[in-house]
Amino acid sequence: MRNLDEINLALLSPSRTTVWTSIFPLFSGLFSLALAGQTLPGPLWANPFQIAGLVVFSAACLGFLVPWIFKWDWQAKFFGVSFIFLGTLSMICIVPFLLLVFYGDLWWVFRFLIFFLYLSMHVVWCRRFFVFYRGIADSNELFSMLYVEDEDAVYYLQEVDRYLIEKVFNFRQIPSDLFFAVPMVIALSSCLAIEFVREVVGLSFVHIFMAIAGLPISLMCFGIAAKALLVFYHYPMKIRSRTGKRVYVDMNTLPDNLSGTTRKWKGANLRK
């Protein structure tokens, strides 16, 4: 078995990264608890959004302790937790948005249309990742380069993944700069008529601002979580079922035959 402690950077081991990425669900959970409590005063157990925030906050607390106590190694299932934790940052947009939809004063038609728009954007964005990696999985050549099988284990090569995304297929993992800018401009513009907007929507300006300005961040985080579920859980489980071998993460190995892959697959479309 490869000595991953020598191949990978020690600072990026799951037993360490999970600890500092716990900050994201910690913040997201507290933010949800506070915002939902402000919107729906009352006992915590009667507020589903506060319950969700408490669950995420509790997961963050475990993230501080469990990886360090049990000294998580380089297995994909441990490596993926940090990315899932990072994905919880989407709650800074999703929670105020859902509160706005379910407890705001907008006409139900507008709330339905906004909800459908948000849902569609997140589904379409995440689908890109599923289609992209399904295309790689359908190619024995690409999949065997991404997940390399040795005698006693299988290794997910992170540098190969990055190479395929950036050099071969030019796959966008985050929304464009324009998509980040437009919601922010709209959110800031609402400041010019803040009292009117608050009266129409029926909730505080924090809900309105975060629901709009946080949209691209939410999409980015959902994409990160979708990719993590695929490369660290879905395909490793299929590999484990087929081969009986665990999947580990190799962060630095880059095979010599990638140049041939670039020439063969350059311009191909895995996103249909």
Side-chain angles (χ1 to χ4, degrees), residues 10-29:
L11 290 175
L12 297 179
S13 66
S15 61
R16 297 187 181 184
T17 56
T18 306
V19 172
W20 68 262
T21 53
S22 297
I23 295 173
F24 295 107
L26 185 69
F27 170 77
S28 300

Side-chain angles (χ1 to χ4, degrees), residues 61-75:
C61 294
L62 291 175
F64 278 114
L65 299 173
V66 172
W68 178 74
I69 293 174
F70 292 97
K71 301 186 185 302
W72 283 2
D73 59 15
W74 296 96
Q75 289 185 58

Side-chain angles (χ1 to χ4, degrees), residues 207-219:
H207 293 77
I208 302 165
F209 186 87
M210 295 307 301
I212 300 174
L215 177 58
I217 296 175
S218 181
L219 290 178

Side-chain angles (χ1 to χ4, degrees), residues 4-17 74 251-252:
L4 294 174
D5 289 329
E6 292 186 358
I7 295 174
N8 299 334
L9 291 174
L11 290 175
L12 297 179
S13 66
S15 61
R16 297 187 181 184
T17 56
W74 296 96
M251 301 179 64
N252 290 309

Side-chain angles (χ1 to χ4, degrees), residues 30-158:
L30 289 174
F31 178 82
S32 300
L33 281 166
L35 205 62
Q38 177 192 31
T39 307
L40 302 171
L44 184 147
W45 58 86
N47 190 326
F49 294 98
Q50 281 197 302
I51 293 174
L54 183 61
V55 169
V56 172
F57 176 81
S58 301
C61 294
L62 291 175
F64 278 114
L65 299 173
V66 172
W68 178 74
I69 293 174
F70 292 97
K71 301 186 185 302
W72 283 2
D73 59 15
W74 296 96
Q75 289 185 58
K77 64 181 180 181
F78 298 141
F79 202 87
V81 173
S82 296
F83 292 87
I84 300 298
F85 277 0
L86 180 59
T88 62
L89 196 60
S90 64
M91 293 179 69
I92 67 172
C93 168
I94 295 300
V95 169
F97 165 72
L98 291 177
L99 289 170
L100 185 151
V101 168
F102 289 105
Y103 301 103
D105 291 338
L106 285 172
W107 289 353
W108 70 267
V109 175
F110 290 117
R111 284 189 277 176
F112 174 80
L113 291 175
I114 294 172
F115 180 81
F116 180 77
L117 177 63
Y118 261 65
L119 179 63
S120 299
M121 294 176 71
H122 283 80
V123 169
V124 169
W125 184 256
C126 290
R127 183 181 179 276
R128 296 173 63 255
F129 290 85
F130 282 88
V131 172
F132 179 77
Y133 282 102
R134 185 178 62 198
I136 291 178
D138 289 341
S139 167
N140 291 331
E141 179 185 1
L142 292 177
F143 196 72
S144 62
M145 293 176 66
L146 186 61
Y147 292 94
V148 177
E149 183 177 357
D150 283 357
E151 291 184 3
D152 51 0
V154 176
Y155 298 93
Y156 160 74
L157 303 189
Q158 193 174 58

